[in-house]
């Protein structure tokens, strides 16, 4: 999933269509355009009794590694909610570092669709509202 904010404050998300049953080939990391950074995120969910976790890697427009983080989030009810939480935590972290020209990528197509308003899911409204804010 990619997130980008243009000069007018619009949010743009882009994800990769994949299916669990069909191999899709090799997906290679692509550099963002000059002046932008890219953050690849992933969420982890075991069960509702264990706090979910999040991880992300940040690289600049030259592909140079700028850091990676692992964080423990709150307990979530599903893998999808863990992915949304990971996106939000990574986004907040990057902004706290002063990275405001940012592309976020995630492998969770359903999260991409919800954030892009292509799919409604009322249970995740608060997560998407925070991500968009």
């Amino acid at each position: 999933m990619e997130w980008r904010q243009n000069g007018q404050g619009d949010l743009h998300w882009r994800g990769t269509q994949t299916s669990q049953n069909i191999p899709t080939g090799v997906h290679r990391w692509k550099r963002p355009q000059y002046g932008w950074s890219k953050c690849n995120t992933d969420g982890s969910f075991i069960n509702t009794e264990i706090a979910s976790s999040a991880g992300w890697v940040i690289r600049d427009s030259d592909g140079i590694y700028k850091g990676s983080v692992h964080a423990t989030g709150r307990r979530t009810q599903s893998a999808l909610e863990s992915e949304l939480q990971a996106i939000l935590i990574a986004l907040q972290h990057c902004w706290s570092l002063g990275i405001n020209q940012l592309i976020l990528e995630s492998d969770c197509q359903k999260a991409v669709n919800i954030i892009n308003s292509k799919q409604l899911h009322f249970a995740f409204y608060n997560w998407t509202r925070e991500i968009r804010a």
Side-chain angles (χ1 to χ4, degrees):
M1 164 182 1
E2 290 188 0
W3 174 88
R4 183 181 301 199
Q5 184 170 5
N6 66 22
Q8 291 77 36
D10 294 331
L11 300 179
H12 301 283
W13 290 85
R14 185 173 55 206
T16 305
Q17 292 283 353
T18 60
S19 171
Q20 293 179 350
N21 299 327
I22 301 170
T24 58
V26 177
H27 294 278
R28 295 187 180 255
W29 186 88
K30 294 180 184 174
R31 294 180 186 185
Q33 62 184 313
Y34 180 77
W36 289 78
S37 294
K38 187 176 275 193
C39 179
N40 295 83
T41 68
D42 197 14
S44 172
F45 174 79
I46 296 172
N47 64 46
T48 60
E49 300 301 316
I50 298 173
S52 65
S53 60
W56 57 94
V57 177
I58 306 166
R59 294 185 184 272
D60 68 11
S61 57
D62 293 321
I64 296 172
Y65 171 82
K66 294 297 183 180
S68 58
V69 179
H70 173 267
T72 301
R74 66 178 184 92
R75 291 189 307 196
T76 59
Q77 299 300 306
S78 67
L80 176 57
E81 186 177 8
S82 294
E83 292 286 349
L84 291 166
Q85 180 175 242
I87 291 166
L88 178 60
I89 296 170
L91 182 60
Q92 290 170 337
H93 174 79
C94 290
W95 283 347
S96 75
L97 296 175
I99 302 171
N100 52 16
Q101 291 187 312
L102 181 67
I103 298 170
L104 261 169
E105 286 187 342
S106 174
D107 61 352
C108 184
Q109 184 65 47
K110 192 166 188 175
V112 173
N113 290 341
I114 291 169
I115 292 167
N116 280 327
S117 299
K118 292 181 180 178
Q119 184 175 351
L120 296 177
H121 205 302
F122 184 74
F124 301 118
Y125 174 77
N126 288 336
W127 289 110
T128 56
R129 184 191 68 213
E130 289 296 316
I131 292 167
R132 291 176 185 150

